[in-house]
Every structure is written in structure tokens, then in C-alpha cells.
Amino acid sequence: MSSADLASERDLPPEREASVKGDIAPEHDGPRDTGMDDAGLHRWLTRTWRTPPGIIGALSSVDHKVIARRYLITAFVFLCLGGLNAVAMRIQLSGPQRGLIGPDLYNQLFTMHGVTMMFLFAVPIVQATGIYLVPLMVGTRNIAFPRLNAFSYWIYVSGGIFAWVSFALNMAPDVGWFAYVPLSGPEFAPGKRADVWAQMITYTEVSSLAVAVATIVTVFKQRAPGMSLDRIPLYVWAMLVTSFVVVFAMPAVMITSTFLILDRLVGTHIFNPAEGGDALLFQHLFWFFGHPEVYIIFLPATGMISAIIPVFARRPVFGHLGLVLSLIAVGFLSFGLWVHHMFATGLPKLGASFFTASSMMIAIPNGVQIFCWLATLWDGRPVIRTPLLFVFGFFFIFVIGGLTGVMLASVPLDLQVHDTYFVVAHFHYVLIGGSVFPLLGAAYFWFPKISGRMMSERLGRWHFWLAFIGFNAAFFPMHLVGLWGMPRRVYTYPAELGWGNINLFISAGAVVFFLSFVLFTFNLAHGALKGALAGDNPWDAGTLEWATSSPPPSYNFARIPIVTHGEPLWAEREALPVATGLRVDVRELLISTVAEAHPDIREKSATPSIWPLLAAIAVGGTFVYSIFTPWAVAWGAAPIAITLIGWFWPKGDPEDEE
Amino acid sequence: MKQRPSLDLSALPTFGHGPRSPTWWGTLGFMALEGMGFAIAAGAYLYLATLWPNWRLSAPQPNHWPGTIVTLLLIVSLVPNHILHGYAKRCAIGPVRIGMVVMSLLGVAPLVVRWFEFPALNIYWDTNAYGSMLWVLLGLHTTHLITDVGDTIVLTVLMFTRHGYSGRRFGDVGDNVFYWDFVVLTWIPIYLLIYWMPRLG
Ligand code: HEM
Ligand SMILES: [Cu+2]
């Protein structure tokens, strides 16, 4: 299809009756970009789309790139904090019977490490990457529901601060990252620690859900003209599927944490077997979310890999359709696996076999993906740069994690190693191999787009090898101590067991791994300040985020690009076809149809507003208060209602009115 | 990168109803996740109900009348709701204003009766898990009811101001209609679970 077809008669939506327009209040219009010269266009759009200056301006920003940058930096800070937790644990475990950390603090440490890594680092950082990249990759000017997006960030930081302030006050959750009852219930967890767990879950899930909805609508309705389903970049597909998994998985954990807090605070008996409740219900509800959670972290990483590999293999990805179908298949299958976390609870045999089978079945689409990537590399002319190195690191580490995963999916083996360091090794191979390594590759790959400068390639290689060696040194031996019987979540072990040396080795590896992040941070700072200028498209990549300047202007694209191919920039090397006719004096962007991405509506995008922050403060205050009294909900209702009305009430901008 | 203008968007409209509008999809997204929340809560209830052979745990039956009245009110409200939708699509400001007032009243009415539903459950939330689940299910739906009625009232006021007469606002009315359908539809299974399932046992 040529771009000319897009303007033809049949693209106009059938139900657009002329009479409808006639009924509307006076037709508003303003200057359009048609025929405008580049400098004039830039001046108009900059004025219309900029984030206002000053502190209030910054707090009111609704620019997806600004919000995403904040998210990325915040999530990175939480990674470092969670890493420090881990280093503290490893120092304590580096020898038998060390007295550095007592059992009570150790419980808080591994719980904070787990929740920080899962809820404050891994999920937010993949969503943040999507907030930055998805609008650019689909060729639009802002994410859908920009104020909701800003709100999600404020809720997320408040949740993180809430958890870490509790830790500073010796009030951090100490019941493990999944906080099983009865341990976390009213009987065995007096005080507020378990409530902190429950409410920090509520915060982070509200924020993830909001981002997921905004991402889905951006992908469905804001794609550049011509970006039909088969031309959507794989990374965008991955974020779309992930967002769907979030929408259907996260409500389960919100219900779980709400039930828990109700049991603790107002005396319901949902998890109390003595009064007709059930403790295993908690595990079912939690893992109905918890297993998909792993894929919420992993699917975006596969999207990153699918974006990186073709660029460095210098050819379009092999098996595009196969990759899309595997993404969707993994998304679906991820909901059929939760019970494999509960094999040790004495489930009926047949049920367990079913979940063993489905746990093994998910290896099929994952295998298809790996095959397509390898085929792309095989058939291309790979240029080995740091992003690709991290992708290789991913292959190696993730395959090992996958293998131990298949082992754990068999019930007899799981019963043996349940709650040992074998499991700790397994999930770090999967989480760090499957998510952190691709993320690091993605950081090197997209850093030039975000900052306009390159990171050092030489430091990048050092970083890779340090991370790779440090990681394996820290986590491979954990398989062994696990098989020898060392349980997880113990603050120390007696010398007679002979686990001292290997633990010392593990701790040394952990320190090396941690140092690799120090080097990474240095490389980031160095790149941002002194790196070589990147230009629009330093890697000569094919997708739309590289069609605009680095860093992109507030309005992303001076004119909305038209997509004629899966890698539009490779197909249109001379000049990119673009659309004209949008207004430049208000924030106008293009809404297109879901399947074909035919242009449909000139929609206005929300202007900056301080209200999302105020609403987040009202909601956050209510959450904190609610760990002390159920009346918080009543007290919080008024401020929440007021801030929401302030948010939605039109204030005279054309964006609100027309 | 060099650019080559090759498509003119200037004749496109500035708003659309239903699936053409992003807000409609956003509303659908929130319905999906909230619907999932309902489904999980209902699943938890059924899980406990099948786990314990003597479910209802010797509690008295709930009095279904307040719940039944709420159900009837909600179902009846669907009619004006959809008439309102037609007016919103035609951007007819006068009838839309009247329709919004009617829908606000039809939102408040079930909320008033809902007040009497809680005591009619004939059990407290802290008596046993059966009581807890009834309160949770009813509470969950009540939260949705309250937020949507609040939303409807604010939008009604808005429609009477000078901000009302715009395509964007008519789109908002359409989405409000859509969300009310959801509030009504989710109530039906919960109503059956709360009042009629215990009668089976
Ligand atoms: C600096 C790198 C890391 C090190 C050295 C490390 C180390 C550890 C150790 C030693 C434990 C077990 C504590 C115990 O059972 O006594 C643990 C638990 C855990 N780690 Fe990590 N970890 C690292 C990074 C990560 C990352 C990046 C993630 C997730 C994306 C993660 C997720 C978890 C989770 C979920 C637990 C379980 C917590 C619990 O038992 O409740 N870790 N980690
Ligand atoms: Cu799992």
C-alpha cells in the first residue's frame, strides 16, 4: 500500500455524518502546519508542547519523556537500594555465624530486597522504558491519558518512599516478598510491618495498572498512519502484551493485599481457617498474579532484544509473525502456571501434573523466540557492540535459568529443593538474565536517543564482563549450596556444615556484580556529560523513534510520519513521508483506527496540570492513614474527590473544551 | 531526516464517539481490570464456599428484598441511560442535560437502598468468613456505585455550565453511559452470589 492510498475515500470512517458536526458549538480552528516552514513550525510546536518553566511547571509536566525519565532514574535508585540490601545480606552470610546482622533485621532485609526489586525496580523500569519509547515508536506526540501517566509516577514514588521510610523506622515488612498468611496475618504479625507490605503493593499496582491502560490505548489508537498490525515494532507488541498481562494479573494481588489488610485491621476472617476462611486461598490469589508477574518483567525484555538484534545483525528480524504469536502465547500461558509455586502444599496429584505440563509447555513459545533471534543473527552480519554483548549475556544466563526452571517444574525435585538456595539461584538466573541483562543492553542502545550522547564502548565492554563474571560467580554456586541443603531466608548457618568457603565465594561474586553497577553508573554520567554527540540515528536503526532528533523535542515529531514498512527508516532512506494538516496552536495529535491505523480524528492531548500530583498526594495519604484505621477511607474520600474534580474540570484551554 | 508531505489530515473531525475515541478504550481498559477484580473476589467466595461442606457456616439467610429492589432499580435505569446515549451522539444539549439529571437521580436511588442492604445480610463481617465475603462483595460493588454516581453528578453540573456544549463533553457523557452499564452488569452476578447462592445450600 502506498501512502497515497491512506488519503483515499474509503479511509474516511463511514459513521462520520456531516450533520453531526453541524450540531456542535462553533467550529474552532487555528493555524495549521500545512505549508509552514520548518523554523516556524518548530517555534509554534515548542510553544504549544513545552513543559512550563519553574518548579510548579516541572511538577505539572505531562510530557511522556519527562515522566519516563523520572521513572527511570527513580527505578534505578531503587535498584541500588535493593542491591545494597543484597550486599548487606551477603556480607552477613560470607562466613558461618557472623554477628553482623541479627535475625530480625535480616528478615526485613530480604523482604525489602525482594519487594524493592520486584515492585519498585523491575516492573516500574520496564514500564518506564515503554512510557518513553512506545509513543515515539508508534509515531505520536504523547502517551494516551498523559495526566494519568503523571499521576502513576507520583503514586509510584510515594509507594517507594513509604516503604523505605518504614524501613528506616524499623517498621519494614519482614514476612518475605510474598507475605504468606498465617505468618503475615493478625495472629503472627503484630505491629504494622505486614500492613506496610500490603499498602506498598496497593500503591505500586495502582500505578502499574494506570500505565498499562495508557500504553494499551496509545498502541491501539495513536499509531502513525499506515502502521497496520503487521508493521507494529516487536518492542511495541511486547509492551502491548505485557500491558494486557498487567490488566488481568495485578487486580489479583490488589485483592490479596486488601483482603490481608481487612483481616488485620477490621477482623474479617478471609484467610482464617478457624472461622471458615483458608490460608491457601492467599497463595492461590498471590500466585495468580505472581507468576504472570515474572512475564511482566520478562516480556518487555524480549521486546528489547527483538529491537536490538536486527539493528546489529543488519537485517530485519527473522520470523516476525512467529515472534508476535509467541509473545501472545506466552501472555496467555502465563496465567496457567501459578500452581507450580505451590507444589509443596499438598495439592491433588492430577492438578499438580496439569501444572507441570503447562509449565513445560511455556518453553515452546520461548523456544520459538530464541530460535528466531539466533536465526536473525546467523543470517545477518552481526556487529558486536555493547548492547549486543548484553543480549549474548542474556542468552547464556537465561538458558541456564530456564533449565533449572524445567527441573523445578517436576514435583519430586521441587519438593527436595523447595525453599533452598537452589531456588534463589534459579530465580536470579531468570530475573537477572531475563530482565536485567536485556535492560542493560537497552540502556546502551537507547541512551543516545534519550540524552543525545553516546556511552563509552570501551567502558561498556568492561562493564559487561564484570557483570557477567560477577553474576555467575555470585549465583552459580548457589545451586550447589542449595542442593547441599542450605535453606533460603536464614540469617546464618553453623560452621560444622562446611558451607563457609562457598558462601565466601558467593559474597565475593556479589560484590563484583555490585561493582559492575558502579561502573555502569559512571559510564552513564560520563556519557551524559562528555559522550560523543549521537545524532538522530547513531545505530542506523529502522524504527520511528530514530526518525526524530536525539533527544526528541517536546512534541516528538514536527509532522506525524507515515509508515509504509516494518522498518520505516530502512524503507524510506531518501525522505520520510509525513502527514500535514494538524493545528499548531493547540496540542493536537492523530487518532487512528485500531487494526489498519487509518487516520480518523484530530484529537487534543491534555495540557500540563498540577492536579495529578495533588490527587496522588490525596490517594497516597489515604493509603498510609489506612494502615492505622479503616476510617481513613472515609476521611480520604473528600480530598480525593476534590483533587479529581480539579483534575478533570475544564479550565478554559482549548484542549479541555473543544 | 528529510520529510516529504504526502497525506493531508486537515479535514478530519476533532472528536468521535464510541470505539473511535481513545477515552472509550480507556474506559474499557478500566472495566477490564475492575471486572477482573470482581471476578477474583467472586472466585475467592466460591473457593471458600466449595471448601467448607457446611457453607454459610450456620449463619441465617440474608434478606434479599433490599438487594432485589436495588437490582430492579439498576435494570430500569438502563432504559433512560441508553436514551441519553442517543442524545449525546446527536450532541443535543437540552435533552442531554435532562438525561444527566435523571441519571444522577437514578444513581442516588439505588445507593439509598444499598444502605439497607448491609444490615439485611443478617451477619457481620467479623462473624465468620462467610460474613466477611458478603461484606467484601457488597462493599466492592458499592465503591463502584459511589464513584460512578459522584462522577455522574459532577458531569451533570458541568453540562449546565458554559463548558457543556462541546464535542468533548458529549463524548464524556457517552463514556459515562458506558460505565454505568458496567456498574449494572457487574451487579447481577454479585446479587446472585450474595442472595441466591446461600439459598441453594
Ligand atoms: C546485586 C544483585 C543481587 C544479589 C547479590 C541478590 C542476592 C539475593 C539473596 C542472597 C537473596 C536470598 C536471601 C535469603 O533468602 O536469605 C535474594 C532474594 C531475592 N532476590 Fe535478589 N539479589 C540480587 C538482585 C536481584 C534482582 C535484580 C531481583 C529482581 C529483579 C532480585 C529478586 C529477589 C527476590 C524476589 C528474592 C526473594 C526475597 C524473599 O525471599 O522474600 N534480586 N537475593
Ligand atoms: Cu511461576
Side-chain angles (χ1 to χ4, degrees), chain B residues 165-189:
Chain B
Y165 194 38
S166 89
R168 185 161 282 265
R169 289 295 96 70
F170 289 116
D172 292 347
V173 173
D175 293 327
N176 198 59
V177 166
F178 188 34
Y179 195 80
W180 183 253
D181 284 350
F182 171 74
V183 171
V184 176
L185 281 184
T186 46
W187 171 244
I188 309 292

Side-chain angles (χ1 to χ4, degrees), chain A residues 75-120:
Chain A
F76 189 69
V77 169
F78 283 121
L79 170 71
C80 297
L81 290 173
L84 286 174
N85 285 154
V87 168
M89 290 190 289
R90 281 320 313 176
I91 294 177
Q92 163 67 16
L93 292 178
S94 61
Q97 275 152 338
R98 274 185 189 275
L100 204 65
I101 292 170
D104 182 67
L105 178 59
Y106 193 87
N107 287 350
Q108 293 183 63
L109 277 175
F110 71 69
T111 306
M112 281 304 284
H113 170 73
V115 295
T116 301
M117 289 300 191
M118 299 303 269
F119 298 113
L120 299 175

Side-chain angles (χ1 to χ4, degrees), chain A residues 79 83 86-87 89-90 93 106 110-111 113-114 117-118 121-122 176-178 297 421 424 427-428 431-432 436 475 478 488-490 510 513-514 517:
Chain A
L79 170 71
V87 168
M89 290 190 289
R90 281 320 313 176
L93 292 178
Y106 193 87
F110 71 69
T111 306
H113 170 73
M117 289 300 191
M118 299 303 269
F121 160 68
W177 82 279
F178 39 68
I297 297 171
Y421 263 85
V424 177
F427 65 68
H428 284 89
L431 289 170
I432 296 183
V436 176
F475 290 96
M478 285 190 194
R488 70 193 274 205
R489 296 174 170 172
V490 288
F513 190 47
F514 190 83
F517 281 91

Side-chain angles (χ1 to χ4, degrees), chain A residues 155-232:
Chain A
I155 286 285
Y156 157 63
V157 235
S158 345
I161 293 174
F162 168 60
W164 276 82
V165 167
S166 307
F167 183 53
L169 299 177
N170 193 24
M171 215 173 82
D174 56 353
V175 286
W177 82 279
F178 39 68
Y180 279 174
V181 293
L183 180 65
S184 62
E187 211 175 324
F188 297 99
K192 293 292 168 204
R193 289 178 171 180
D195 302 297
V196 172
W197 178 87
Q199 280 319 51
M200 87 86 74
I201 297 279
T202 314
Y203 276 103
T204 48
E205 311 310 87
V206 165
S207 137
S208 302
L209 284 164
V211 177
V213 171
T215 306
I216 292 174
V217 177
T218 309
V219 178
F220 274 7
K221 295 300 290 176
Q222 295 190 186
R223 302 202 307 279
M227 189 182 278
S228 47
L229 294 180
D230 55 325
R231 291 181 189 154
I232 298 180

Side-chain angles (χ1 to χ4, degrees), chain A residues 287 290-292 294-295 334 337-341 359 426:
Chain A
W287 288 114
H291 188 80
V294 177
Y295 288 91
S334 67
L337 303 183
W338 81 93
V339 173
H340 67 204
H341 297 270
S359 301
H426 157 71

Side-chain angles (χ1 to χ4, degrees), chain A residues 126-160:
Chain A
V126 294
Q127 288 196 313
T129 317
I131 295 172
Y132 197 97
L133 291 173
V134 166
L136 288 166
M137 281 195 171
V138 302
T140 187
R141 285 179 169 164
N142 204 352
I143 195 167
F145 316 125
R147 291 185 184 172
L148 182 67
N149 189 37
F151 173 77
S152 82
Y153 173 74
W154 298 122
I155 286 285
Y156 157 63
V157 235
S158 345

Side-chain angles (χ1 to χ4, degrees), chain A residues 7 13 15-16 23-25 32 145 213 217 220-221 225 247-248 251-252 255 259 262 266-270 273 275-278 280-281 284-285 288 536 562 572 574-581 590-591 594 599-604 645 649-650 655-658, chain B residues 1-16 19-23 25-26 29-30 32-33 36-37 40-41 44 47-48 51-52 55 57 89-91 125-130 132-133 136 140 154 157-158 161-163 165-170:
Chain A
E15 63 283 48
R16 193 165 70 93
D23 274 353
I24 291 292
R32 305 288 182 104
F145 316 125
V213 171
V217 177
F220 274 7
K221 295 300 290 176
V247 163
F248 290 106
I255 295 274
F259 283 3
L262 287 174
V266 300
T268 55
H269 298 288
I270 300 167
E275 291 291 349
D278 184 45
L280 265 192
L281 174 60
H284 281 295
L285 291 175
F288 185 82
D536 292 4
I562 296 172
E572 307 275 356
E574 254 85 275
L576 192 67
V578 293
T580 57
L590 178 67
I591 298 300
V594 174
D600 191 19
I601 297 174
R602 291 181 292 125
E603 170 90 359
K604 301 203 177 50
I645 292 173
W649 195 268
E655 282 84 349
D656 291 339
E657 306 280 356
E658 293 166 16
Chain B
M1 196 165 184
K2 279 231 293 273
Q3 298 183 344
R4 163 163 65 81
S6 38
L7 174 65
D8 181 21
L9 308 171
S10 54
L12 293 181
T14 54
F15 76 97
R20 288 179 64 197
S21 119
T23 323
W25 286 94
F30 278 99
L33 69 92
M36 194 65 201
I40 299 270
Y47 174 95
L48 291 177
L51 188 71
W52 300 98
W55 185 244
L57 312 167
K89 274 200 221 158
R90 266 174 279 136
C91 301
W125 64 89
D126 57 357
T127 312
N128 57 32
Y130 161 77
S132 309
M133 286 312 301
V136 161
L140 199 58
V154 173
V157 175
L158 192 52
T161 69
R162 68 189 162 81
H163 306 291
Y165 194 38
S166 89
R168 185 161 282 265
R169 289 295 96 70
F170 289 116

